[in-house]
Amino acid sequence: MRWRPLLLALGTVALTVALPDLGLGAEDTGGPAPTPTAADYPRIAGVTGRPVVWALAQMHLFLAAFVLAVPMFVVAIELTGVLTGDDRYDRMAHEFMKISMAAYAFTALTGGALALALFVFYPVLMGYLLRVFDGQVLIYALLFILESFFLYLYYYTWNALRYGDRKWIHLSIGVLLNAVGTTLMFVANSWATFMMAPSGVDEVGTPLGSVWAAMQGPLWNPLNLHRFLANIAYGGAIVGAYAAYRFLATDRPEERAHYDWMGYTANFIAILGFLPLPFAGYWLMAEIYAYSQQMGITAMGGVLAWLFIIQAVLIGSILLAANYYLWCGLMRTEGGRRFVPWVKYIAVVLVAGFLVWVTPRTLILTPQEVLAMGGTGHPLLGPLGIMPAKNTAVNLMLLATFLSFQLFRRASRTPTVPWAWIGNCVIAALYLVAAINIVAAGIYGYITPTVYKVGASVPQVVSTLSVIVFVLLIEAFMYRGAVARPIAWGRMSSRSQYALFVLPVAFTWLMALMGYIRSSIRTYWHVYTIMKDRSPDAYIPTIGEVGNYITVITLVFMAVIVFIFWLSQIGETRQAAPAAETGR
Amino acid sequence: MTFLRVTLFSLVVLLAYTLFANILPQVQSNPPAEEEIEPASLDRAGQIAWGERLFEGKGACTLCHKNLGRAPDLLGMDLGEELRSRIADPAYRGAAEGLEEAEAFEVYLRESMLDPSAYVVPGFGKKGTRDRESPMPRADAPPVSLTPAEIDALIAFLQDRAGVEVTVPLPAAETEVAAAEPVTGTAEEGPATTAEEVIDRYACAACHDLLGSGAEVGPPLAGIGTRLDREALRRAILDPDAEIPPGYEPGLMPTDFGEQMRASELELLLDYLAGLEAGEAKP
Amino acid sequence: MAARALVFLLALLSWVVYFYAVDWLLMTAQGLPVGWNLMPLS
C-alpha cells in the first residue's frame, strides 16, 4: 500500500488546483467566444483539419469504447465464475482482459494524437473550450492516470489474487476500474455535448464561471447512457469475432468447445447491450428536439435524414446476423431441435420489419415516374416510409430477437415447477397483446399530425420493454430448479461463425456513421449558436463521400484490431529451445 | 487460409455498406453563403425577392414551414385568409390586435418572428405545453440570426404572398420604422461619407475624446482598435451597456444607434475606430 | 385443453387491461388527444 499516500497527495493537489474553477469564485471568464476567421484554420501539406481529426477521433473512440467496455463484462463474468464455482468463467474473463490490455496502449496513442491534431488544426476552438472547461482538464488527466493504474493492477494481480477473500479484493479492483473508466468517458462526453447544446455560458459564449454547469448540458446524460450501452454491445461484438476466428482456426475439439462457448457469451453480451440501445437513442433524439427543434429536424428530416436509412440497413443486418447465430445454436442441444420450426416465423417478422425499415419516404424520381405513381410517395408503400411504420417495425424486430434468445435459453433447460404451462400461456398472451399494441400505436401515429407521431412511439417502446421485463421475471421463477440439459459446445457449423464477423464490421461502421451524424447536426457551427465554423470544411459532404471515408476508417481499425489479436496470441506461443530441436 | 477467408468475408460486408451509401441521393449541404447584398440598392421587387431567398436559405424557414405538418405551411395556404382569421382569433392577444389589414399583417409577422410564443397556432405548440409555447427559435437570435433588414425583407415577401400592400420600409429608406417611434433626425440628409462626418453627426466626440475634443464622459478611444476587434466594436456601439469599462456609468450612451445610423455609416465608423492607434486620437 | 384455453384467455385479458392502462397513462401524460379507444380525437 505504498502508493496510497502518493495517490492521495496527487488527488489533493489536482483538486485544490481545479476546485476554484469548478463552480466556486472564478471572476475572470475571459469574455465571449472568439470568432475565428478563415486564416485560423491551418492547412498542413494541403490537408485541412477535418479529415485528420475525424479519422483520429473515430479511431480513438473505437478503441476507447472497446477498452472501457471489456472490463465491465469481464468483472460480471468473473463474478459469475466466483458464484458458480465454474473455472471456465474465470479463464474466459482473463482471456477477454488480455485482448483489452493490448488495445489500451493504442487507445492512449490515438488519444494523444487526437489532442495534438485538435490543437494544431483548431487552435481557436480548443482555446475557447479550454477556457470553458478550465480545471476539468486536470481532473481528466488524473482520471486517466487512475484508469491506467487500476487497469494494470487488475490485469496483473489476476493470478495473485485468485481464490477466497483475495478474489473479492480483485473483484473490488475491477469495480474501481470500471467506476474510473465510466467517469472518464462521462467527462469526455461533456465536451461533445457542450458543442452541440452549450450550457453554462451566456448567448455569446461568455463562461458563467461554473464548469459543472457547462458539463450539465441537456444532451449530456442521454449521450452518457447511449455510449455506455453501445460500448458494451461493441465490446461484445469484437471479442465475439476473436472467438469466432479462434474457433475456425483450430481442429482440436476442446478448443472448439471453449471458443464456441466464448463466442456465444460474447454474442449474448453484444445483444444484451444492443436491445436497449434504440431506447437510449430515442431519449437522446427527444432531448435534441426539446433543445432545438431545428437541430432535430436537420437530423431526422433534413439533409442528414438519408443517413438514418443506412442506419436501418446496418441495424437490420446486425439483428439478422445475431438471430441467425442464435438459430444455429439451437442445434447444440437435443431440446433445441423442437424449436427449429419456429425459426421461419421469426425470420419472416425480421425480414418484413427490415424491408419496412429500408423503405424510403421519398425518392429522387423523374417527372414521369412521379406522374405514374401519382405523387412523390408511393400509394401503397408510401405510408411505410414514415416514422410510425419504422418504429413499429423496429419494435417488432426487437421482440422477435428477444424471442429467439428466449427459445435458445429454453433449449437447454426443462422447467420442473408444476405451473409451467400457466407461465407459458401468460408469456404467449403477453407477446400477442404487446405485438397488437405496437401495431395499434403505429396506426395511431400514422393518422395523427407529425407533432404527435413522436409521442405515439412511447407506448411502443414501453410495450417492448414490458415484454422483456415480464418474460425475464416470469422465467426466473419458472426455471427455478429446472433440469439442465447438456449443451454440446463446439457442435456448431463453420458458417454460423461468419455471423460473428458481421457483427463487429456492422457495429464499427454503424458507430462511425452515428458519430458522424451526432457531430454533423451542428451543421456549420463549432459550438452550436455560439461559435461558427469558418473553416473550408464547414460543409456537410454527400452520403457517398461520408460512406467511403467511414469505410477507410473502419478498414484501418480492423487492421489495428487484427494486429492486437495477433499480439495477444503471440504472447501464448513459446519458441522451442534450439537444443531440443537439434536433439531430435 | 481461415484468415484470408474471414478477411475476404469482412471486406465484402464492408463493401456492401459502402455501395449502399453510394447509391442513395448525393447532396452536399454548404453553410449559408454570406450574401453580398447592398440593401440600399434594392427596390420593392428586389426586397421581396430577397425575402424569398431568405425564406428558403439563411432563414431556414422551409425546414418546418412546408407540407409536413411541423409548422403552418405558409406557402401552401391562402396566407391572407389565414392571417386575417388568426388576428381575429379571440385567443390572440398580441400587438396586431385591433390593427387593420396590411399594417396588422406586418406587426403580426414581425411578432411571430421575434417572439414566436406570443401566439401559437393551435396544434403547433411544443409538445406538452398545450400550445402555450412555440417550438420555433427567434429569427434574430442564433442559429438563424437574421438582421432587422432581413426580417423586413421576409415580411415584405410574406405580405406580398398574402396579397396585401407591402408596408415595411425599403432598406434604402431610414431603417426600422418601429410603429410607435417616429423617425428622428437624419431622414432627409444623405448618408455621411467620411468617418469624421459620422462622428460629427452622431456627436460621438461630445463624450469620447475623439477628433481632439478631449471629452472625458465616456472612455478614451485611443488605441481601441488594438484592444477590441471589429465585432466587439460593433457590439459596443449597438449595445453599449452590455459591457461597461470600470469607472464609467452605464446608461449614458444612446442605445439606438442601431436604428439611427445607416449600415454604411457604421462601417465607416468601425473602419476609423479599428485603425485608431494609441495616442492618435489626441492631436 | 379447456383449462389451457381458459388460462390463456384470462392472461390475454389481463395483458389487455395492463397495456390499455399503460397506453392511457403515457398518451395523456404527453398531452396527446386520445379517445376512450386510444385513437385520436378528431
Side-chain angles (χ1 to χ4, degrees):
Chain A
M1 295 282 142
R2 253 173 310 146
W3 56 77
R4 233 170 50 191
L6 182 74
L7 265 187
L8 266 178
L10 209 67
T12 323
V13 168
L15 266 179
T16 13
V17 178
L19 256 190
D21 299 317
L22 288 176
L24 311 171
E27 289 293 308
D28 177 34
T29 52
T35 322
T37 62
D40 290 325
Y41 299 94
R43 186 184 279 265
I44 294 168
V47 180
T48 54
R50 178 159 75 178
V52 178
V53 167
W54 185 357
L56 284 174
Q58 199 54 63
M59 204 59 65
H60 180 60
L61 280 168
F62 284 149
L63 288 161
F66 179 64
V67 164
L68 288 181
V70 171
M72 273 181 215
F73 50 77
V74 161
V75 169
I77 296 171
E78 192 186 2
L79 183 67
T80 315
V82 173
L83 295 182
T84 59
D86 190 340
D87 266 2
R88 288 184 312 161
Y89 285 105
D90 206 79
R91 269 214 313 279
M92 180 168 67
H94 197 195
E95 192 166 357
F96 280 160
M97 220 38 218
K98 198 173 63 193
I99 309 170
S100 171
M101 289 305 291
Y104 187 69
F106 284 91
T107 312
L109 199 72
T110 49
L114 171 65
L116 184 71
L118 278 170
F119 279 103
V120 167
F121 284 107
Y122 298 98
V124 181
L125 171 67
M126 290 313 282
Y128 174 62
L129 287 178
L130 269 185
R131 214 171 77 208
V132 171
F133 285 103
D134 210 6
Q136 192 215 55
V137 184
L138 284 170
I139 304 276
Y140 189 84
L142 178 72
L143 282 169
F144 179 73
I145 293 168
L146 282 177
E147 168 80 10
S148 314
F149 173 74
F150 282 126
L151 186 71
Y152 286 110
L153 193 67
Y154 183 63
Y155 181 69
Y156 286 107
T157 56
W158 197 288
N159 291 321
L161 308 172
R162 179 65 183 83
Y163 297 103
D165 286 346
R166 287 188 171 193
K167 189 65 176 170
W168 290 103
I169 296 179
H170 190 251
L171 275 166
S172 310
I173 298 172
V175 170
L176 280 175
L177 166 65
N178 281 306
V180 173
T182 310
T183 317
L184 192 67
M185 180 182 77
F186 287 178
V187 170
N189 287 351
S190 68
W191 286 50
T193 52
F194 174 82
M195 287 166 72
M196 294 168 76
S199 57
V201 294
D202 68 8
E203 66 258 33
V204 290
T206 312
L208 298 178
S210 159
V211 175
W212 182 233
M215 288 174 72
Q216 273 185 308
L219 306 182
W220 189 42
N221 278 321
L223 188 73
N224 285 344
L225 178 68
H226 197 276
R227 281 190 168 170
F228 176 78
L229 291 172
N231 285 355
I232 293 177
Y234 188 59
I238 300 234
V239 288
Y242 170 81
Y245 179 73
R246 300 291 303 256
F247 178 90
L248 290 174
T250 179
D251 284 329
R252 294 168 53 203
E254 71 274 12
E255 270 195 32
R256 283 210 146 202
H258 176 70
Y259 287 112
D260 182 21
W261 181 61
M262 188 168 170
Y264 160 73
T265 312
N267 179 60
F268 172 76
I269 293 164
I271 295 305
L272 198 71
F274 186 68
L275 283 182
L277 205 51
F279 310 123
Y282 172 81
W283 183 30
L284 177 58
M285 214 60 217
E287 287 296 327
I288 288 177
Y289 264 91
Y291 163 69
S292 160
Q293 194 171 17
Q294 193 183 341
M295 191 185 240
I297 292 173
T298 302
M300 304 296 292
V303 60
L304 296 168
W306 282 98
L307 295 168
F308 284 88
I309 301 287
I310 308 183
Q311 180 206 18
V313 172
L314 287 157
I315 293 182
S317 49
I318 286 172
L319 284 178
L320 283 174
N323 274 285
Y324 176 74
Y325 180 78
L326 282 174
W327 299 335
C328 291
L330 287 177
M331 303 309 280
R332 286 196 198 101
T333 54
E334 295 309 313
R337 290 179 198 277
R338 67 200 153 104
F339 293 125
V340 171
W342 292 44
V343 162
K344 54 179 173 290
Y345 301 112
I346 302 178
V348 166
V349 173
L350 280 173
V351 172
F354 181 62
L355 287 178
V356 170
W357 214 357
V358 298
T359 307
R361 171 86 179 110
T362 48
L363 295 165
I364 305 281
L365 298 165
T366 62
Q368 289 92 329
E369 285 169 329
V370 174
L371 217 63
M373 236 164 67
T376 51
H378 190 276
L380 267 176
L381 294 178
L384 298 179
I386 60 170
M387 221 46 216
K390 296 193 194 306
N391 284 335
T392 308
V394 71
N395 278 287
L396 290 178
M397 285 171 87
L398 289 178
L399 272 192
T401 306
F402 185 68
L403 182 61
S404 283
F405 170 66
Q406 195 194 346
L407 291 183
F408 179 83
R409 284 200 348 150
R410 286 183 163 215
S412 62
R413 292 180 302 168
T414 312
T416 51
V417 288
W419 52 271
W421 64 277
I422 300 183
N424 282 334
C425 281
V426 173
I427 289 174
L430 173 58
Y431 270 103
L432 187 66
V433 180
I436 293 173
N437 196 45
I438 288 171
V439 173
I443 295 172
Y444 173 93
Y446 178 63
I447 54 182
T448 45
T450 306
V451 271
Y452 298 130
K453 288 195 198 313
V454 180
S457 66
V458 178
Q460 296 182 315
V461 169
V462 174
S463 302
T464 308
L465 278 179
S466 293
V467 170
I468 294 176
V469 169
F470 282 117
V471 166
L472 286 179
L473 213 66
I474 294 171
E475 294 218 321
F477 287 103
M478 218 166 110
Y479 281 82
R480 205 170 262 185
V483 180
R485 294 159 186 254
I487 303 176
W489 290 114
R491 195 166 78 194
M492 208 47 180
S493 63
S494 293
R495 206 186 309 156
S496 66
Q497 300 300 308
Y498 284 90
L500 292 184
F501 292 113
V502 174
L503 289 187
V505 173
F507 264 122
T508 309
W509 215 89
L510 180 61
M511 225 166 112
L513 179 79
M514 300 320 281
Y516 164 75
I517 295 177
R518 184 201 58 68
S519 186
S520 262
I521 54 177
R522 284 179 284 121
T523 59
Y524 51 94
W525 298 86
H526 283 317
V527 180
Y528 198 61
T529 72
I530 282 178
M531 190 171 172
K532 272 210 177 117
D533 181 352
R534 294 192 187 277
S535 69
D537 292 327
Y539 65 97
I540 294 177
T542 63
I543 299 173
E545 267 178 70
V546 172
N548 298 342
Y549 202 62
I550 287 177
T551 300
V552 171
I553 300 174
T554 307
L555 277 175
V556 176
F557 174 71
M558 277 164 49
V560 170
I561 210 79
V562 165
F563 181 61
I564 288 172
F565 283 178
W566 179 77
L567 275 184
S568 59
Q569 207 181 345
I570 201 87
E572 288 171 24
T573 41
R574 189 185 294 271
Q575 189 184 10
E581 261 177 356
T582 49
R584 301 257 151 123
Chain B
M1 194 56 218
T2 310
F3 180 75
L4 273 180
R5 213 179 298 154
V6 168
T7 313
L8 205 67
F9 175 77
S10 304
L11 283 180
V12 168
V13 175
L14 209 54
L15 218 64
Y17 296 144
T18 320
L19 198 70
F20 186 64
N22 279 287
I23 58 169
L24 289 173
Q26 304 293 324
V27 187
Q28 178 173 319
S29 160
N30 292 311
E34 310 269 325
E35 205 175 349
E36 287 302 326
I37 203 155
E38 187 50 67
S41 68
L42 289 177
D43 59 357
R44 188 59 86 190
Q47 187 188 31
I48 292 170
W50 186 26
E52 185 165 11
R53 286 199 300 281
L54 288 168
F55 192 83
E56 267 142 30
K58 184 182 173 191
C61 313
T62 42
L63 207 54
C64 302
H65 289 283
K66 59 178 174 185
N67 60 349
L68 282 180
R70 288 176 188 140
D73 181 11
L74 299 183
L75 303 188
M77 57 174 52
D78 181 346
L79 193 56
E81 208 38 58
E82 178 72 20
L83 286 176
R84 244 165 251 134
S85 73
R86 280 193 213 166
I87 295 168
D89 183 351
Y92 178 70
R93 293 257 170 277
E97 218 181 353
L99 297 176
E100 288 301 317
E101 280 290 285
E103 197 189 343
F105 284 15
E106 181 192 339
V107 173
Y108 178 87
L109 288 167
R110 192 183 305 279
E111 179 181 67
S112 66
M113 279 187 256
L114 300 183
D115 183 13
S117 296
Y119 172 73
V120 180
V121 181
F124 289 107
K126 226 180 199 170
K127 202 177 59 185
T129 65
R130 298 188 183 282
D131 290 341
R132 264 194 276 277
E133 209 180 306
S134 169
M136 175 170 151
R138 285 182 55 145
D140 61 338
V144 180
S145 311
L146 294 180
T147 65
E150 286 170 335
I151 290 176
D152 278 351
L154 264 174
I155 296 174
F157 165 62
L158 292 172
Q159 278 183 319
D160 186 56
R161 291 282 308 190
V164 297
E165 190 200 341
V166 177
T167 52
V168 289
L170 277 174
E174 195 49 53
T175 51
E176 273 302 286
V177 190
E181 280 172 22
V183 188
T184 46
T186 58
E188 281 78 32
E189 307 166 25
T193 51
T194 65
E196 282 76 11
E197 230 178 297
V198 179
I199 292 169
D200 198 31
R201 184 172 291 177
Y202 297 99
C204 310
C207 300
H208 295 283
D209 180 12
L210 280 172
L211 306 176
S213 72
E216 286 179 357
V217 180
L221 299 179
I224 190 78
T226 59
R227 279 175 276 139
L228 295 179
D229 66 23
R230 230 179 137 77
E231 283 319 301
L233 277 171
R234 189 193 303 276
R235 266 198 306 279
I237 296 171
L238 297 180
D239 186 10
D241 290 338
E243 263 190 75
I244 295 288
Y248 293 91
E249 290 270 36
L252 289 177
M253 179 157 160
T255 53
D256 61 352
F257 282 135
E259 277 100 0
Q260 287 191 39
M261 278 186 203
R262 289 197 174 79
S264 59
E265 292 174 332
L266 182 59
E267 295 309 316
L268 279 174
L269 187 59
L270 288 174
D271 286 342
Y272 176 78
L273 291 175
L276 271 187
E277 275 162 29
E280 203 184 272
K282 279 181 185 158
Chain C
M1 200 61 215
R4 205 169 260 260
L6 189 72
V7 168
F8 183 72
L9 277 179
L10 269 176
L12 210 61
L13 207 66
S14 338
W15 286 124
V16 168
V17 172
Y18 165 78
F19 278 110
Y20 185 90
V22 168
D23 286 359
W24 178 261
L25 276 175
L26 289 173
M27 308 277 248
T28 47
Q30 293 185 96
L32 300 184
V34 282
W36 65 269
N37 56 359
L38 292 178
M39 281 294 119
L41 294 168
S42 50

